[in-house]
Amino acid sequence: MIYRSPLPDVEIPGGTLTELVLGTAGRHGDKPALVDGVTGETLTYAELAEGAEAGAGGLAALGVGPGDVVGLLSHNQPRYALAVHAALGAGAAVTPMNPVLTAGEIGKQLRASRAKVLVTAEPVAEKAADVAREHGIEHVYVLGEHERARPFAELLAGGNAAPRLDLDPETAVAVLPFSSGTTGAAKGVRLTHRNLVANLVQTRAGWRVGPGDVQAAVLPFFHIYGFTIILHSGLLGGATVLTLPRFEPDAYLAALAEHRVTRAYFAPPMVLALANAPDVENYDLSALRYAFCGAAPLDVEVTERAERRLGCRIRQGYGMTEASPGTHQVYDDAFATTPAGSVGRLSPNTEARLVQPGTDTDVAPGEDGELLVRGPQVMLGYLDNPEATASTITDGWLHTGDIARVDDDGVFWIVDRLKELIKYKGYQVAPAELEAVLLSHPGVLDAAVVGVPHAEGGEAPKAFVVARRGVEADDVLRWVAERVAPYKKVRALEFVDTIPKSPTGKILRRVLKERG
Ligand code: 4UV
């Protein structure tokens, strides 16, 4: 049984991501494309388009071209978009990174993606410069100024013309985010220009983002939800994208009011914080018309509480990095009629199946099954990992590792997660990575990590550890905390005699999860 979108298929334009989103920049000219919610710094559509061209020329003059990768380590700021489109204009792909990653984690991603240039932000330029030096990356640019890196503005000022390229949008990778997918450690996800162009025009069919809109962008652009759904759907619509470097309820609400934000995008911890924030009613949120949430499960009671405070419905979207990311959305026209708690309906050009996990057998209508999705937004594959690609995509069907249900109206619910991935505040935490760090501790003999419920994060990693006599829990927790980004920290630890495993040696994570 194949489920299809109720919306008719849309035509997918043939060009690059930059051509799609900045092709009409001339029309929007002096209109702000991006505004920094903290500093007020503004980048108009014309400045973005011209800057991207100039930056592409600057990067090309450094020898960056098709097949190359530019690392981007920054919080949200208007110049983020400039760096992205300069790199794409040179024919390169961007590999985005979370600025809170440790030097070791950044180095790993730069190495895996073979990045040639690193573009970073002022607050993390020191760390970026250290990592680049360690990995022999000669070119480090900063969006702003820092003594350890060259100003990105220098690339724009060189007077180099952007190269004429003949990229094939179906094979040229535009973005290379890292995701653990259904199993193992984080892998590079090869998203082509066509994948992203497709996803933008697909979601546009259900959402009317237009020049009158202001989109709040606090969810990070280094995550695909922020990159595609917030930043680029905003630019495609000719809207203004309001960047905020971090979520802090009062500053966020003040920014929504001051900039008359019309569309807000949340992850579940933000909804929870807004549901409980003391002074929401003091802010004028009358411009807010649509609020979205995604990246992890969202409680219906919390949703309703936050809706009452904000005076605006909150509806969920769903997707994954491997699908550029959107596959399900609540259309603007159905905002009032689509139930809270659901993830809405399929985006156009997207098909879905629900199967018995691990099989190719469909479940009966109305029953829960593993969600498979197919469409032009599904990645080309993982970087340098044909085995993981082959087990994740079969006959074009992307195995999401999520358990879903669909009703008679074509509305989907995500009811459980089958894959080992843990989502802390919507951020990916791969158990396999934490297990490798735990096993590197000299006193740890075996380890397994699963997600357990966590008030603030939704869920958080818990480690089950087999250790030598005398090893202290605090020492093991510290060992991990020193080696991973703060959001990946193991937040609970239990010593056990053995880790339950299948006859083939696979950790029986469900058994551990049920023990909690
Ligand atoms: O790969 P990733 O980190 O990707 C995301 C994407 C989130 C999106 C995408 C399009 C939207 O319109 C939107 O609102 C949000 O997070 O993680 C993918 C996994 O996150 C879980 C699920 O396990 C995915 O496989 N997930 C994402 N959205 C939801 C969710 C949701 N609404 N409810 C429950 N789990």
Side-chain angles (χ1 to χ4, degrees):
M1 170 83 180
I2 296 180
Y3 299 94
R4 293 198 167 79
S5 172
L7 296 181
D9 277 1
V10 290
E11 197 183 318
I12 300 158
T16 65
L17 176 62
T18 307
E19 283 161 357
L20 179 76
V21 298
L22 296 183
T24 56
R27 207 190 303 153
H28 304 302
D30 292 339
K31 184 185 165 152
L34 293 117
V35 176
D36 189 316
V38 177
T39 66
E41 184 190 325
T42 295
L43 206 55
T44 66
Y45 273 92
E47 285 166 344
L48 176 57
E50 284 158 23
E53 283 260 328
L59 285 168
L62 290 180
V64 175
D68 288 332
V69 173
V70 172
L72 182 50
L73 181 78
S74 173
H75 58 272
N76 286 3
Q77 54 173 318
R79 283 176 275 185
Y80 195 102
L82 204 53
V84 168
H85 290 282
L88 299 186
V94 171
T95 194
M97 284 166 285
N98 184 337
V100 307
L101 292 181
T102 63
E105 291 166 330
I106 296 165
K108 218 160 136 185
Q109 185 164 334
L110 291 175
R111 210 169 41 242
S113 60
R114 296 182 284 278
K116 217 167 165 175
V117 175
L118 179 57
V119 179
T120 189
E122 288 174 356
V124 289
E126 191 77 40
K127 174 167 67 176
D130 286 342
V131 181
R133 186 164 56 192
E134 194 189 325
H135 292 274
I137 295 175
E138 194 190 328
H139 305 294
V140 184
Y141 286 88
V142 61
L143 301 169
E145 286 182 9
H146 194 275
E147 63 206 16
R148 301 277 314 275
R150 306 183 84 102
F152 190 76
E154 201 181 285
L155 277 180
L156 274 54
N160 297 294
R164 297 245 149 267
L165 298 169
D166 189 21
L167 293 179
D168 178 354
E170 303 219 7
T171 54
V173 175
V175 202
L176 192 63
F178 275 60
S179 163
S180 65
T182 52
T183 183
K187 299 168 273 291
V189 176
R190 298 164 70 221
L191 298 178
T192 63
H193 283 271
R194 181 181 159 84
N195 288 149
L196 292 154
V197 164
N199 205 224
L200 286 168
V201 297
Q202 288 174 294
T203 43
R204 178 173 65 181
W207 293 342
R208 284 179 307 266
V209 181
D213 279 306
V214 180
Q215 309 228 102
V218 68
L219 294 179
F221 297 154
F222 59 74
H223 184 246
I224 197 71
Y225 176 18
F227 186 89
T228 305
I229 303 290
I230 307 175
L231 170 60
H232 284 106
S233 79
L235 295 180
L236 176 62
T240 295
V241 178
L242 177 71
T243 68
L244 293 155
R246 71 190 64 80
F247 177 70
E248 193 279 304
D250 277 326
Y252 181 78
L253 290 163
L256 293 190
E258 184 191 337
H259 295 271
R260 311 262 329 136
V261 166
T262 59
R263 301 176 79 96
Y265 300 82
F266 305 135
M270 290 173 65
V271 180
L272 183 62
L274 294 172
N276 297 330
D279 299 319
V280 181
E281 291 72 16
N282 296 349
Y283 298 93
D284 173 9
L285 305 180
S286 56
L288 188 63
R289 295 181 51 222
Y290 301 99
F292 299 91
C293 183
L298 177 66
D299 186 78
V300 172
E301 186 275 325
V302 172
T303 309
E304 288 169 352
R305 202 146 34 96
E307 286 177 330
R308 282 196 296 274
R309 311 287 310 279
L310 296 170
C312 176
R313 281 197 177 81
I314 303 170
R315 288 295 175 269
Q316 292 184 59
Y318 165 87
M320 59 194 269
T321 307
E322 288 80 350
S324 298
T327 60
H328 294 67
Q329 61 184 141
V330 174
Y331 314 140
D332 286 356
D333 286 341
F335 225 64
T337 52
T338 308
S342 77
V343 295
R345 298 178 170 86
L346 286 162
S347 298
N349 310 51
T350 307
E351 299 173 310
R353 287 177 63 198
L354 294 176
V355 299
Q356 284 163 16
T359 75
D360 198 38
T361 310
D362 291 338
V363 297
E367 277 183 16
D368 299 352
E370 186 191 358
L371 174 65
L372 314 187
V373 292
R374 187 161 72 176
Q377 71 272 53
V378 172
M379 65 170 176
L380 202 55
Y382 290 115
L383 180 70
D384 297 331
N385 202 331
E387 301 81 22
T389 305
S391 60
T392 304
I393 305 175
T394 52
D395 294 328
W397 290 102
L398 174 69
H399 294 243
T400 66
D402 292 308
I403 303 290
R405 179 171 54 228
V406 59
D407 71 14
D408 293 341
D409 294 327
V411 172
F412 283 73
W413 274 263
I414 304 298
V415 295
D416 198 4
R417 193 180 306 133
L418 190 65
K419 58 189 165 190
E420 60 196 46
L421 173 69
I422 300 166
K423 281 264 168 136
Y424 180 78
K425 295 192 171 177
Y427 291 114
Q428 287 205 3
V429 181
E433 275 175 35
L434 293 176
E435 285 154 10
V437 175
L438 286 163
L439 288 170
S440 72
H441 184 290
V444 171
L445 300 169
D446 203 357
V449 173
V450 297
V452 293
H454 185 268
E456 232 185 302
E459 60 176 348
K462 172 173 179 178
F464 292 85
V465 171
V466 183
R468 290 184 205 284
R469 200 163 318 142
V471 171
E472 304 265 348
D474 282 350
D475 176 49
V476 177
L477 290 174
R478 204 173 327 112
W479 177 271
V480 177
E482 282 166 2
R483 287 164 176 78
V484 300
Y487 69 89
K488 295 184 190 171
K489 266 192 327 207
V490 169
R491 283 166 205 270
L493 187 146
E494 186 179 330
F495 287 117
V496 290
D497 293 334
T498 53
I499 301 292
K501 290 191 184 156
S502 73
T504 58
K506 269 182 80 166
I507 296 169
L508 295 174
R509 293 179 195 279
R510 283 271 149 181
V511 174
L512 293 172
K513 236 180 138 91
E514 273 152 28
R515 270 170 50 181

